[in-house]
Amino acid sequence: MKTHKDLDVWNISIRFVTEIYSNTMKFPKSQRYGLSSQLERAACSIPYNIAEGYAREGNREKIRFLYFALGSNTEVETQLIIARNLNLIQDSTYQQLSEQNEYIGRMLTKLIRYFKSKV
């Protein structure tokens, strides 16, 4: 692995952020600085933290930032549930985004386990 850009989880999370933005653009203007903004920031935080962790020296630092990414992943899960409950996204959209987010979470967990085995 040369950089964070070589990681499948980083590439998938970048595509996920794009999906989140294309959906939050449809939210009402009243949500622009509310749930929409929070959801966008939490989704962006996933690849941001993966990238930052990979720029750090040592596996302990990588693990620390991967945990930050995993925390953001969980935050996105919560925000998607709220968006669905408020009818800001349809059930089918919720299902699709939720499955993508769960997949990213599983990938992060596996990557954390991998780096823990190297410490």
Side-chain angles (χ1 to χ4, degrees), residues 24-86:
T24 56
M25 283 185 220
K26 300 171 192 168
F27 284 16
K29 288 191 190 283
S30 64
Q31 286 300 319
R32 186 70 231 137
Y33 299 104
L35 185 58
S36 175
S37 176
Q38 287 292 111
L39 184 52
E40 292 164 357
R41 283 187 283 168
C44 284
S45 183
I46 298 168
Y48 291 171
N49 279 297
I50 294 168
E52 187 168 354
Y54 259 71
R56 301 294 177 126
E57 190 173 324
N59 289 339
R60 289 186 197 276
E61 282 292 293
K62 284 180 180 60
I63 292 166
R64 184 169 157 245
F65 281 90
L66 290 172
Y67 271 121
F68 292 154
L70 190 58
S72 295
N73 174 263
T74 304
E75 190 177 343
V76 167
E77 174 188 13
T78 301
Q79 292 160 346
L80 287 173
I81 291 168
I82 294 167
R84 181 197 59 197
N85 290 351
L86 294 173

Side-chain angles (χ1 to χ4, degrees), residues 1-8 10-11 47 50-52 54-55:
M1 231 34 77
K2 295 177 181 141
T3 73
H4 61 280
K5 294 178 191 174
D6 298 315
L7 290 170
D8 288 340
W10 182 83
N11 285 291
I50 294 168
E52 187 168 354
Y54 259 71

Side-chain angles (χ1 to χ4, degrees), residues 8-10 12-13 46 50 66-67 69-74 77 95-114:
D8 288 340
V9 69
W10 182 83
I12 290 168
S13 65
I46 298 168
I50 294 168
L66 290 172
Y67 271 121
L70 190 58
S72 295
N73 174 263
T74 304
E77 174 188 13
Q95 192 64 38
Q96 176 205 1
L97 293 173
S98 183
E99 286 173 7
Q100 288 178 43
N101 193 53
E102 286 176 21
Y103 182 65
I104 290 167
R106 287 193 304 272
M107 293 179 81
L108 286 169
T109 301
K110 287 178 184 177
L111 195 55
I112 289 167
R113 274 193 220 128
Y114 169 77

